[in-house]
Amino acid sequence: APCSARTGDGDSGGIRGGGTSGKGEGAVCFEEMVGDEVILVHGDTGHQSTCSSCAAKLVEMKQPCPVCALPIERVIRAFS
């Protein structure tokens, strides 16, 4: 199922990060990422671990990267 933060279904208000996720699964909502993965940039590195909706929530709530806990400087779209 796609991330409920994008569809408006369910409760995705609680940021649950704190680890890595399985391939294709968001590190925040733990739901399937469907074509809108982004990269959380911090310094010269970044992690491709969330959908755009969850990334926006992390930035809005001033939360760190859910993979490494570094502050998120910006979010960029990822293309494969």
Side-chain angles (χ1 to χ4, degrees), residues 35-40 47-48 50 52 75-80:
D36 76 333
E37 296 91 41
V38 295
I39 298 172
L40 305 175
H47 286 107
Q48 186 174 350
T50 68
S52 60
V75 177
I76 59 174
R77 290 181 62 191
F79 298 96
S80 52

Side-chain angles (χ1 to χ4, degrees), residues 4-76:
S4 58
R6 288 188 306 250
T7 62
D9 300 330
D11 177 26
S12 59
I15 301 298
R16 298 185 292 173
T20 59
S21 62
K23 185 173 180 161
E25 185 179 88
V28 175
C29 63
F30 298 104
E31 296 182 21
E32 182 181 359
M33 293 190 295
V34 184
D36 76 333
E37 296 91 41
V38 295
I39 298 172
L40 305 175
V41 178
H42 29 66
D44 293 333
T45 63
H47 286 107
Q48 186 174 350
S49 59
T50 68
C51 62
S52 60
S53 296
C54 289
K57 286 186 178 189
L58 287 170
V59 170
E60 180 182 324
M61 296 173 66
K62 298 182 178 125
Q63 295 293 307
C65 175
V67 175
C68 66
L70 287 173
I72 299 169
E73 295 173 10
R74 66 183 187 277
V75 177
I76 59 174

